[in-house]
Amino acid sequence: MQTGRAHTGRRRNEEARRAILEAAVDLLSGGPGDGTVSVDAIAAAAGVGKQTIYRWWPSKGAMLLDALAEYAEAEVPAPDTGTLAGDLEAFLTATFRLGARPATAALLRKIAAEAQQDEHTAQLLHAFAQQRRAALIALARRGAAPDPELLADQAFGVLWYQLLILHAPLEEEAARRLAHALAHQGH
Amino acid sequence: MQTGRAHTGRRRNEEARRAILEAAVDLLSGGPGDGTVSVDAIAAAAGVGKQTIYRWWPSKGAMLLDALAEYAEAEVPAPDTGTLAGDLEAFLTATFRLGARPATAALLRKIAAEAQQDEHTAQLLHAFAQQRRAALIALARRGAAPDPELLADQAFGVLWYQLLILHAPLEEEAARRLAHALAHQGH
Amino acid sequence: MQTGRAHTGRRRNEEARRAILEAAVDLLSGGPGDGTVSVDAIAAAAGVGKQTIYRWWPSKGAMLLDALAEYAEAEVPAPDTGTLAGDLEAFLTATFRLGARPATAALLRKIAAEAQQDEHTAQLLHAFAQQRRAALIALARRGAAPDPELLADQAFGVLWYQLLILHAPLEEEAARRLAHALAHQGH
Amino acid sequence: MQTGRAHTGRRRNEEARRAILEAAVDLLSGGPGDGTVSVDAIAAAAGVGKQTIYRWWPSKGAMLLDALAEYAEAEVPAPDTGTLAGDLEAFLTATFRLGARPATAALLRKIAAEAQQDEHTAQLLHAFAQQRRAALIALARRGAAPDPELLADQAFGVLWYQLLILHAPLEEEAARRLAHALAHQGH
DNA sequence: AAGTAAACGAGACGGTACGTCCTGTCTTCTT
DNA sequence: AAGAAGACAGGACGTACCGTCTCGTTTACTT
């Protein structure tokens, strides 16, 4: 179990990593030109060479996914209020609140778009989604929901649908109504 | 109040229109290189000049949306089985069946991707989605569903979520379970 | 995992220097990919860190110039046969023989190319050329050539012209004819 | 005897071609930043898309070679003064005069540098040089020079040597002395 | 029949973004 | 302190694609 060789050479510059991710978030959310955000623009805004981006991420999409994780690092907690309705409401309001932030919304949109064209990004997005989905499924299962997987698909489906297709703002009130409906579903 | 002018000049070539739409569908669904499909590639495959595409459609996305309409022309009927559950099941099964076809799925994916980057396509997709959404809302309202809009968002949400994020096949059984759940939602 | 080469710790490692110069020569002359040779490639082939190159040479061109000096270290002697024709023939044959070697030719080419883009290399190449030129001028002056500078320019001109523009092999016979012509030039 | 099909599609834009070539010359000669001239910079200065350059020239070097041909279009005439010395002087002063212009000199240098790294440019430069060389050889042969090929190599050798290695200005007086020496060469 | 107008296949154009490569510098650990 | 390893900023490269703009040809209606 020898490591083979200790690490030599310069280490990854954590500042550069952060600057890239922050520049991506800033450009996507804040920018006046809310249109396309190029890798060149991100690199320039981060004060970084483009190669530094491609050294650490295999594609633009992968980098954006990391930016998302960084930006929305606050894990949505798996609450335990005692009732399915309460847990669902807590989970979904927190989730929707994240998705309501312009930066997060822009990131999710860009990543989803990228994933339709780039297989690699598609896999990463899939993994990301499955992780969130698993958390919600666990919550639903604990609350004895009749079909936890379906419940998760409905919940995240509404989120992505609003975001990608309807371009509608995500409101907490909607999350609450959704939680209520899902909690009283089935027989 | 001039009549304007009677049409002079060559008329639109219906064959070209069809060739373009078919080429788009073929390249998107069938092709071995199922990756990006460029307008150039579609024009070449259709044996058509690129301008012929842009003469009739304002953007790539608009053309793809038309290809979708052409290819999935079978309108999902608004059934009347007497019960909300029955109507929902009929509607959703038909809808999922359409989305299960590889060509339709590929089109929906490309269009959604395009819509994240191009405002014009976004509006067209939005209009398309709203039309389908309105049909389902009407159905739900007739069946006295407690929150027809939310019901529609959940139904289409699951569809798009599977398509865009999970890249999961759309199965009729899933549509049935979804219909059942939605019909028994709320108090 | 023996490193093969020991570190001296303090003084300049002569082996590293030699490895670098040899790797440069090898890559430039021998390699199948006789195209561009990057500093990274030379460092890797020499088993050397890139910084070790830049610690001792101010630029890529300077290093190549040293490689040239090392590889073609055999100074062309300033012969004294008694006649201008004889001296010229001896000098030029030796010079062309050096330039005929693939490694030397490749080095000269790369250095000349580098010098067109990098001012520093240009100066070094200029100095190198002037030194050789001075030797030939002295020889010509001793032989009472009517215009020693012009003679030198013609001699080295032919060499570089063949090398850089015509990509022609340098043949000794050509050197002999050139020497003969230059010796009988002017009145 | 039909060719199969007449040309269809938009024709090459002559203005774009000229703008590119002129921008290349301007940037190379005039610019304050006399350093590297990138294809992007040329395209931008010409008001042209980069692809328009790569559509018509296989490499940067090929384009520069065309720029040279365009800029120095005035063919050096093959004069006939009756004597070899006179013809040589006319030819070489004209040739040196061209090479003395900053724009031409910069172009020749860039092209030569490019040719050492890019095989394709090398071939084009070779062809260009051979054409000029053939003209001078014909002239020398007509004047009964003892070794026309060698004479041509000496003449162009001096030119390129001054340009690439010595970075010396090309003066007409030098051309005259060179012509005189070459005319009275050999027995 | 001649004239005129529009659509067509073809393909060049300006522009934007991509991902790769290379130079010269900087940083970390090793000897 | 010098070296091997390798990350970094910066900048150029050549490719792909979009939507627009000509060409010359073909088709249809109008006079």
Side-chain angles (χ1 to χ4, degrees):
Chain A
M1 182 219 173
Q2 88 287 31
T3 58
R5 124 122 61 200
H7 182 86
T8 358
R10 191 178 188 172
R11 307 309 170 64
R12 178 169 190 179
N13 184 345
E14 191 56 29
E15 277 188 66
R17 181 181 159 278
R18 199 131 45 158
I20 290 165
L21 265 20
E22 278 174 15
V25 170
D26 282 6
L27 285 180
L28 278 167
S29 58
D34 70 317
T36 317
V37 173
S38 67
V39 175
D40 284 78
I42 293 172
V48 145
K50 214 168 17 154
Q51 191 64 30
T52 299
I53 294 181
Y54 285 103
R55 199 185 339 266
W56 298 111
W57 292 279
S59 68
K60 186 184 179 182
M63 183 262 285
L64 293 179
L65 210 42
D66 253 25
L68 174 67
E70 197 79 357
Y71 190 74
E73 90 279 20
E75 273 297 315
V76 172
D80 196 343
T81 62
T83 68
L84 178 57
D87 288 0
L88 270 179
E89 183 173 325
F91 186 97
L92 291 183
T93 42
T95 302
F96 270 52
R97 193 155 35 218
L98 274 180
R101 288 198 279 193
T104 320
L107 274 167
L108 289 171
R109 270 201 278 268
K110 283 285 167 198
I111 293 165
E114 195 83 9
Q116 308 311 313
Q117 283 154 332
D118 176 42
E119 179 54 33
H120 188 248
T121 304
Q123 285 180 7
L124 291 175
L125 175 57
H126 185 256
F128 169 81
Q130 284 294 13
Q131 172 197 322
R132 300 322 218 90
R133 194 167 168 269
L136 184 49
I137 287 172
L139 187 153
R141 205 182 302 281
R142 203 181 54 215
D147 192 338
E149 284 86 3
L150 180 59
L151 185 149
D153 288 353
Q154 286 172 270
F156 287 117
V158 169
L159 175 71
W160 285 105
Y161 181 57
Q162 306 265 11
L163 210 53
L164 299 178
I165 312 298
L166 300 183
H167 267 243
L170 296 173
E171 291 164 5
E172 285 195 39
E173 173 54 25
R176 262 191 293 277
R177 282 194 292 132
L178 176 58
H180 185 261
L182 291 173
H184 298 86
Q185 176 170 275
H187 269 287
Chain B
M1 180 220 196
Q2 89 285 32
T3 60
R5 138 145 48 201
H7 183 86
T8 335
R10 192 176 187 173
R11 307 309 173 65
R12 177 169 190 181
N13 184 345
E14 189 56 30
E15 278 188 64
R17 180 180 161 280
R18 197 131 47 162
I20 290 164
L21 265 19
E22 278 175 13
V25 170
D26 282 6
L27 285 179
L28 279 167
S29 58
D34 71 317
T36 315
V37 175
S38 67
V39 175
D40 286 76
I42 292 172
V48 143
K50 214 164 25 146
Q51 189 60 27
T52 300
I53 294 180
Y54 285 101
R55 203 186 334 269
W56 300 109
W57 293 277
S59 71
K60 184 185 181 181
M63 183 262 286
L64 293 179
L65 215 41
D66 249 26
L68 174 67
E70 195 80 357
Y71 193 75
E73 89 274 24
E75 272 298 315
V76 173
D80 196 345
T81 63
T83 67
L84 177 58
D87 288 0
L88 269 180
E89 181 172 327
F91 186 96
L92 291 183
T93 327
T95 301
F96 270 53
R97 191 154 38 217
L98 276 180
R101 289 199 279 195
T104 320
L107 275 166
L108 289 170
R109 270 201 278 267
K110 284 287 167 197
I111 292 164
E114 194 82 11
Q116 308 311 313
Q117 284 155 332
D118 176 44
E119 181 54 33
H120 185 242
T121 304
Q123 285 180 8
L124 291 175
L125 174 58
H126 186 256
F128 169 81
Q130 283 295 12
Q131 171 198 320
R132 301 321 221 95
R133 194 166 168 270
L136 183 50
I137 286 173
L139 187 153
R141 206 183 301 281
R142 201 180 58 214
D147 192 338
E149 285 85 3
L150 181 57
L151 185 149
D153 288 353
Q154 288 178 83
F156 288 116
V158 169
L159 175 71
W160 285 105
Y161 181 57
Q162 306 263 12
L163 213 49
L164 299 179
I165 312 299
L166 300 183
H167 266 243
L170 297 172
E171 290 164 8
E172 285 195 39
E173 172 55 23
R176 261 191 292 277
R177 283 194 291 133
L178 176 59
H180 185 260
L182 291 174
H184 299 85
Q185 206 168 56
H187 273 284
Chain C
M1 188 211 214
Q2 83 286 33
T3 57
R5 179 170 45 239
H7 274 240
T8 47
R10 174 168 263 199
R11 302 243 313 114
R12 176 171 187 177
N13 186 340
E14 189 57 29
E15 278 188 64
R17 181 179 159 280
R18 196 132 45 160
I20 290 164
L21 264 21
E22 277 174 14
V25 170
D26 282 7
L27 284 179
L28 278 168
S29 58
D34 71 317
T36 314
V37 174
S38 68
V39 174
D40 286 77
I42 292 172
V48 142
K50 215 165 25 145
Q51 189 58 28
T52 301
I53 294 181
Y54 284 101
R55 202 183 335 266
W56 300 111
W57 291 278
S59 71
K60 184 185 181 182
M63 183 263 284
L64 293 180
L65 214 41
D66 251 25
L68 175 67
E70 194 80 355
Y71 193 75
E73 89 273 27
E75 272 299 314
V76 173
D80 195 344
T81 63
T83 68
L84 178 57
D87 288 0
L88 270 180
E89 182 171 325
F91 186 96
L92 292 183
T93 327
T95 302
F96 270 52
R97 193 154 35 217
L98 277 179
R101 290 199 279 194
T104 320
L107 275 166
L108 289 170
R109 270 201 279 267
K110 283 287 167 199
I111 292 164
E114 194 82 11
Q116 309 310 312
Q117 284 156 331
D118 177 44
E119 180 54 34
H120 185 241
T121 304
Q123 284 179 9
L124 290 175
L125 175 57
H126 186 256
F128 170 81
Q130 283 295 11
Q131 171 198 322
R132 300 322 220 96
R133 194 166 168 270
L136 184 50
I137 286 173
L139 188 153
R141 204 182 301 281
R142 203 180 56 214
D147 192 338
E149 284 86 4
L150 181 57
L151 186 149
D153 287 353
Q154 289 177 83
F156 287 117
V158 169
L159 175 71
W160 284 106
Y161 181 58
Q162 306 264 13
L163 212 50
L164 299 179
I165 312 299
L166 299 184
H167 266 243
L170 295 173
E171 291 166 5
E172 285 195 40
E173 172 55 22
R176 261 192 293 277
R177 282 194 292 133
L178 176 59
H180 185 261
L182 290 174
H184 298 85
Q185 205 168 55
H187 275 283
Chain D
M1 186 229 181
Q2 90 283 35
T3 58
R5 127 113 67 194
H7 181 88
T8 15
R10 190 178 188 172
R11 308 311 169 67
R12 177 170 191 177
N13 185 345
E14 190 56 30
E15 275 188 65
R17 182 182 157 278
R18 198 129 46 157
I20 290 165
L21 265 20
E22 278 174 15
V25 170
D26 282 6
L27 284 179
L28 278 168
S29 58
D34 70 317
T36 316
V37 174
S38 69
V39 175
D40 284 78
I42 293 173
V48 145
K50 212 168 18 153
Q51 190 68 258
T52 299
I53 294 181
Y54 284 102
R55 202 186 333 270
W56 298 111
W57 292 279
S59 68
K60 186 185 178 181
M63 183 262 285
L64 293 179
L65 210 43
D66 253 24
L68 174 67
E70 197 80 355
Y71 189 75
E73 91 280 21
E75 273 297 317
V76 172
D80 197 343
T81 62
T83 67
L84 177 57
D87 287 1
L88 270 179
E89 183 172 326
F91 186 97
L92 291 183
T93 42
T95 302
F96 270 52
R97 194 154 35 217
L98 273 181
R101 288 198 278 191
T104 320
L107 275 167
L108 289 171
R109 270 200 278 268
K110 283 284 168 199
I111 293 165
E114 194 84 9
Q116 308 312 312
Q117 283 154 332
D118 177 41
E119 179 54 33
H120 188 247
T121 303
Q123 285 179 8
L124 290 176
L125 174 58
H126 186 257
F128 169 80
Q130 284 293 14
Q131 173 197 321
R132 300 323 217 93
R133 194 166 168 271
L136 184 50
I137 287 172
L139 187 153
R141 204 182 302 280
R142 203 182 54 214
D147 192 337
E149 285 86 3
L150 180 59
L151 186 150
D153 288 354
Q154 287 171 271
F156 286 117
V158 169
L159 176 70
W160 285 105
Y161 182 57
Q162 306 265 11
L163 211 51
L164 299 179
I165 312 298
L166 299 184
H167 267 244
L170 296 173
E171 291 165 6
E172 286 196 39
E173 173 54 25
R176 261 191 292 278
R177 282 194 291 133
L178 176 59
H180 185 262
L182 291 173
H184 299 86
Q185 174 170 278
H187 257 284

